Amino acid sequence: MARRSVLSIRIVEGRNLPAKDITGSSDPYCIVKIDNEAIVRTATVWKTLSPFWGEEYEVQLHPTFHSISIYVMDEDALRDLAKKDRNGASDPFVCVSYNGKTQESTVVKKSCYPRWNEAFEFELPDPPAEKLCVEVWDWDLVSKNDFLGKVVVSVQGLQAAGHQEGWFRLHPDTAKAREERRRGSLGSLQLQVRLRDETVLPSHCYQPLVQLLCQEVKAGHQAGGVHLVTLLDETTTAECRQDVAVNLVKLFLGQGLVKEFLDLLFELELAKPCEPNTLFRSNSLASKSMESFLKVTGMQYLHAVLGPTISRVFEEKKYVELDPSKVEIKDVGCSGLHRVQTESEVMEQGRQLLQSYLRELLDTIGKSAPTCPPVIRAAFRQLFQRVGERFPQHQHTQFVAVTSFLCLRFFSPAIMTPKLFHLRETHADARTSRTLLLLAKAVQMVGNMEPAAGRAKEEWLAPLQPALQHGASQMRAFITQLVGMEEEEKGGEGWPCAPRTAVVKEGLLFVHKTRGKGPLLASASKKLHFCLTSEALSFSKSPGAERCGSIALANIRAAEKVEEKSFGSCHVMQVVYVDEAGQQETAYLQCKCVNELNQWLSALRKVCGNNPHLLHAYHPGVFRGDKWSCCHQKDRTGPGCGRTRHSITLQDWSDPLQPDVEAQRLFQHLHGLQQPLREKYWQLMEEGGPQNGPRGCGEGPPLPLELRRLFEALQDLERCHRQLPPALLELQT
């Protein structure tokens, strides 16, 4: 049993942000901080005051966290302390003044995120002086020190409270404060933030609910009745349908029944009145579940198929435009050695480039059927068969049903926004975005299998028509191969089984030299290639090179951040572990950015989460000379001065399944639907015909056995939650 908090954040867009660059624009990005610790950084959107990010994050937190802060920053603007030096940082120190006396801290070199952890004492006169002033300055060797900001503390308030602790915003001088007010509005930011507090019970508590859902899926669709999945689809709001679909897909993947679940959804959807040309185009539970299924099981396949072409588009940065109304004036008349290009020549050049990208992508897709995960092939084979049975006179519809998911809901969105599918680390600039949009539109038209329909809406796509027709033929051949491959898939159509030593994360990290022993710690500062698997954290000189050494996961005690002043960087993590001799050691590894830092920390915390000897405290600094830089303890093996954050992790598509978590989330959703489920059942039974009998006195026909069993399972789970003793909950947190 565990209690946890899960924070879901969708950073959508900003509007009317202030201009911070001399060009009258900005390069905005967002930072999300939990208890003032940076957890997430969006990509930078260049040269705009109305940026669109559309980035989603899910962070697992300790239930005792206090605050969430979201900052909109400019790539060249200030992040914390002002950058006063030419190197883009400062050399800050603190002056504490009280009752005419001043004391100064040490200078932290080249930092905008200093940590001093120094204490000062002043005699308290009688009566006490009114104010204590704390000023932050930037130290300069030859010129006058620069003022960075100050905090004024009321001594009377401090006496009354007895203690004050926390973060205090630095205030500028009085003149600068007036200047800040004159700047006016700072714009707005569109966010979607949701916090879930979850108490996950032991597995046996969820068995009645899980077994009931599995039995319903195995039973399949039976004519004349109302299926439980139909009731769930009809009563789930559009806002919740995506989350419910993800929970159901992951639950049935874990139970080895995802193929049967999707087949049931196809049957139920096809049993409704529908037209061949609108099939699976709505956001029904069937559509959302298939979309979620592709994202959960097919991301590695997506990267292999789209990755090379997407990388080529980003690297070439060529101008592609087919719409005459959108051709930029500055791109017409770009002179070569002999003459000037005309508008038609610019568009013809764009058409050739776009055809080249499309040809490369479709060739890769056409060859990818054998590498497509078997579970996805099986799902599409079922879909192809069910649609053929429903529309025997429209064989074309079978192919469109497959491409409506594969092209329109999987490939095209990833092409348009590769950052959101982890295909790129940054968002595309305006020119590259337009190229990706045109490429995604072309893939959609190929997926429609009727390119002429798209041309009728946008006549300027006519020059692309021959390539689209050829692409539709390629796509048809690919789908025929995809659904025609019969596999020996006994037990293999559930969650794709990965090898026991599958790579969790890998990449180059900079190793900071310390006084520790062993090949990793004693080496000079250098970059090594690290590979994290389900067994060990190993390292080598380069990718594919012979392994230099490794740290067994069972020996890792903590993975935490290191304070910036230790190595002059805020992107350093420490891995605390026990060596072969039983001696505790610490490896200090530097990442290239805050996102990579948090991804490594999250991956390490997940694979080491069940280690029995994890530390509860750690040192955020380093041991130099004869003391720790963070707390000045002189005992190198002494207890840490900061609380570890084992529970703070980022959710990722490659995370292992957590069946109890998915069951708990489904319980929370279904618990609030009990009355709507009853009413929807009575409504559907009434619509089925007069033989079902009239409703009276607020009651309807007797509920079916499966619905009664569902309510019993939900009530049992509710009792389990109510009976948890408070002390036990506190112990789990």
Side-chain angles (χ1 to χ4, degrees):
M1 181 173 0
R3 185 182 174 192
R4 54 186 235 164
S5 295
V6 180
L7 178 69
S8 300
I9 306 173
R10 184 166 189 252
I11 303 175
V12 185
E13 61 182 328
R15 289 184 180 176
N16 304 320
L17 301 183
K20 293 292 184 179
D21 298 342
I22 59 173
T23 60
S25 186
S26 289
D27 305 312
Y29 65 94
C30 293
I31 289 283
V32 179
K33 292 186 178 182
I34 308 295
D35 292 340
N36 272 303
E37 180 178 335
I39 298 296
V40 167
R41 183 199 194 277
T42 69
T44 301
V45 182
W46 302 98
K47 299 179 181 178
T48 180
L49 300 182
S50 296
F52 178 83
W53 291 284
E55 299 186 25
E56 298 183 17
Y57 301 92
E58 191 167 292
V59 187
Q60 183 174 325
L61 303 169
H62 196 279
T64 58
F65 82 98
H66 294 92
S67 65
I68 305 164
S69 305
I70 300 176
Y71 298 82
V72 183
M73 317 288 285
D74 179 67
E75 185 73 20
D76 302 317
L78 309 182
R79 182 171 168 195
D80 276 54
L81 293 186
K83 301 175 177 69
K84 292 291 186 179
D85 297 342
R86 292 181 178 179
N87 59 16
S90 291
D91 304 316
F93 68 97
V94 172
C95 290
V96 185
S97 303
Y98 179 70
N99 196 31
K101 296 182 179 179
T102 299
Q103 298 187 50
E104 293 184 359
S105 73
T106 56
V107 177
V108 179
K109 293 284 190 178
K110 299 179 182 178
S111 173
C112 291
Y113 306 89
R115 180 184 176 116
W116 290 280
N117 206 14
E118 300 180 24
F120 303 97
E121 291 186 358
F122 293 90
E123 270 190 41
L124 195 66
D126 189 18
E130 188 175 332
K131 295 178 180 179
L132 172 73
C133 184
V134 182
E135 296 181 343
V136 186
W137 293 80
D138 172 46
W139 176 84
D140 281 315
L141 178 63
V142 293
S143 61
K144 182 180 177 182
N145 294 338
D146 296 313
F147 177 78
L148 297 178
K150 67 180 178 181
V151 173
V152 178
V153 179
S154 168
V155 176
Q156 291 181 348
L158 185 59
Q159 283 183 309
H163 180 75
Q164 286 188 12
E165 185 175 351
W167 288 82
F168 300 87
R169 183 168 294 279
L170 292 174
H171 295 282
D173 290 335
T174 306
K176 290 187 178 180
R178 288 196 297 267
E179 180 183 343
E180 291 287 335
R181 286 193 293 269
R182 284 198 302 270
R183 291 181 180 178
S185 171
L186 294 179
S188 58
L189 183 67
Q190 183 184 357
L191 301 170
Q192 294 175 5
V193 181
R194 180 183 59 189
L195 179 65
R196 287 194 300 252
D197 284 324
E198 300 173 330
T199 300
V200 182
L201 302 171
S203 297
H204 68 84
C205 297
Y206 299 105
Q207 283 307 302
L209 175 61
V210 173
Q211 289 174 0
L212 172 63
L213 294 174
C214 290
Q215 289 169 6
E216 286 294 293
V217 166
K218 290 177 182 178
H221 174 52
Q222 298 176 357
V226 179
H227 202 282
L228 183 59
V229 173
T230 299
L231 295 175
L232 181 59
D233 188 9
E234 295 281 346
T235 54
T236 300
T237 63
E239 293 77 14
C240 298
R241 194 167 286 135
Q242 181 72 59
D243 291 337
V244 172
V246 172
N247 300 147
L248 288 169
V249 164
K250 289 185 175 181
L251 180 73
F252 289 118
L253 273 169
Q255 298 296 319
L257 290 173
V258 72
K259 185 184 79 168
E260 290 79 3
F261 170 62
L262 293 172
D263 192 36
L264 173 62
L265 290 175
F266 298 153
E267 277 195 276
L268 294 173
E269 187 78 4
L270 290 166
K272 302 176 184 177
C274 56
E275 295 294 328
N277 58 343
T278 60
L279 198 58
F280 298 111
R281 297 300 174 99
S282 66
N283 288 324
S284 64
L285 185 61
S287 297
K288 287 296 184 183
S289 295
M290 189 62 180
E291 181 181 329
S292 302
F293 164 74
L294 289 174
K295 290 180 180 177
V296 171
T297 61
M299 289 295 282
Q300 191 171 358
Y301 169 69
L302 180 82
H303 282 219
V305 171
L306 300 187
T309 304
I310 296 296
S311 296
R312 180 186 165 197
V313 172
F314 269 80
E315 290 163 6
E316 290 184 352
K317 294 185 180 295
K318 296 292 183 64
Y319 181 67
V320 176
E321 186 54 76
L322 303 182
D323 186 353
S325 66
K326 287 184 167 35
V327 174
E328 298 177 9
I329 301 299
K330 65 180 181 180
D331 289 285
V332 178
C334 293
S335 55
L337 292 176
H338 302 291
R339 65 183 187 85
V340 175
Q341 280 188 311
T342 64
E343 179 182 285
S344 61
E345 288 175 330
V346 171
M347 293 170 57
E348 173 61 20
Q349 179 179 301
R351 182 192 66 79
Q352 292 178 4
L353 279 168
L354 187 59
Q355 281 189 188
S356 174
Y357 296 143
L358 182 62
R359 188 186 310 115
E360 176 185 319
L361 181 57
L362 291 177
D363 286 346
T364 306
I365 293 174
K367 299 173 183 176
S368 69
T371 60
C372 181
V375 66
I376 295 180
R377 290 199 297 256
F380 279 131
R381 186 164 56 248
Q382 289 178 155
L383 175 63
F384 193 83
Q385 179 182 341
R386 291 293 183 191
V387 174
E389 294 169 354
R390 175 68 172 80
F391 299 102
Q393 305 301 321
H394 300 83
Q395 294 185 359
H396 176 76
T397 307
Q398 294 176 279
F399 294 91
V400 176
V402 173
T403 58
S404 66
F405 290 114
L406 191 63
C407 293
L408 274 66
R409 293 179 181 264
F410 198 40
F411 286 159
S412 289
I415 293 170
M416 284 191 289
T417 53
K419 169 69 170 65
L420 306 188
F421 286 76
H422 311 288
L423 284 160
R424 301 293 294 184
E425 293 184 359
T426 60
H427 288 293
D429 57 25
R431 173 173 289 193
T432 306
S433 292
R434 180 61 179 170
T435 303
L436 293 173
L437 177 62
L438 291 172
L439 181 59
K441 187 186 289 288
V443 171
Q444 286 179 353
M445 294 175 68
V446 168
N448 288 334
M449 313 295 281
E450 293 180 357
R455 186 187 63 178
K457 297 178 183 177
E458 296 165 319
E459 289 295 332
W460 47 268
L461 286 171
L464 210 59
Q465 190 67 15
L468 296 176
Q469 289 177 341
H470 180 67
S473 300
Q474 286 181 285
M475 187 63 68
R476 191 181 186 93
F478 165 70
I479 294 172
T480 301
Q481 183 185 13
L482 187 73
V483 302
M485 295 182 68
E486 294 288 343
E487 294 102 358
E488 296 179 2
E489 293 171 341
K490 293 182 180 179
E493 292 185 349
W495 180 250
C497 294
R500 190 165 176 261
T501 56
V503 174
V504 177
K505 186 167 179 61
E506 61 181 333
L508 289 171
L509 297 173
F510 186 85
V511 183
H512 285 279
K513 184 178 180 180
T514 64
R515 296 191 307 175
K517 300 177 181 179
L520 177 61
L521 300 181
S523 61
S525 299
K526 59 183 178 181
K527 275 190 176 181
L528 294 176
H529 181 265
F530 284 80
C531 181
L532 177 64
T533 69
S534 54
E535 294 183 348
L537 175 65
S538 60
F539 48 95
S540 57
K541 292 183 178 180
S542 61
E546 184 179 355
R547 190 173 69 176
C548 299
S550 65
I551 302 171
L553 295 189
N555 293 336
I556 293 179
R557 299 293 181 258
E560 298 292 335
K561 294 182 180 179
V562 179
E563 60 184 8
E564 185 187 358
K565 72 176 183 180
S566 300
F567 297 103
S569 170
C570 55
H571 305 144
V572 180
M573 67 176 175
Q574 55 177 297
V575 180
V576 184
Y577 66 99
V578 175
D579 63 15
E580 295 178 355
Q583 183 72 29
Q584 182 171 301
E585 299 286 358
T586 304
Y588 297 97
L589 311 175
Q590 182 170 328
C591 306
K592 63 183 179 182
C593 64
V594 66
N595 277 358
E596 186 183 55
L597 170 66
N598 286 311
Q599 288 164 9
W600 270 105
L601 287 173
S602 180
L604 284 162
R605 289 166 179 170
K606 287 174 184 175
V607 295
C608 301
N610 294 323
N611 286 5
H613 303 296
L614 291 175
L615 298 177
H616 298 291
Y618 79 109
H619 288 285
V622 293
F623 194 84
R624 284 203 178 107
D626 61 347
K627 63 183 178 181
W628 286 98
S629 63
C630 46
C631 59
H632 304 299
Q633 282 190 52
K634 295 193 174 182
D635 183 1
R636 188 173 184 272
T637 61
C641 58
R643 181 169 62 89
T644 53
R645 298 172 173 84
H646 302 301
S647 60
I648 299 180
T649 57
L650 296 172
Q651 301 299 97
D652 189 70
W653 61 268
S654 61
D655 286 347
L657 297 174
Q658 297 178 293
D660 294 343
V661 172
E662 307 305 334
Q664 169 62 25
R665 292 179 178 178
L666 285 171
F667 158 69
Q668 289 177 315
H669 178 72
L670 291 168
H671 184 263
L673 286 182
Q674 294 183 68
Q675 188 57 30
L677 286 169
R678 288 189 184 93
E679 294 177 355
K680 179 56 67 173
Y681 172 76
W682 290 330
Q683 176 191 338
L684 294 177
M685 290 301 290
E686 280 186 345
E687 294 172 355
Q691 70 274 13
N692 295 312
R695 284 175 58 183
C697 302
E699 294 293 333
L703 296 176
L705 176 62
E706 60 270 17
L707 205 54
R708 296 199 304 271
R709 289 179 58 203
L710 173 65
F711 293 157
E712 290 172 3
L714 296 177
Q715 290 164 7
D716 289 343
L717 278 169
E718 185 181 12
R719 279 193 291 271
C720 289
H721 279 280
R722 283 203 309 263
Q723 291 171 1
L724 289 175
L728 179 60
L729 281 178
E730 186 64 29
L731 178 63
Q732 293 300 325
T733 61

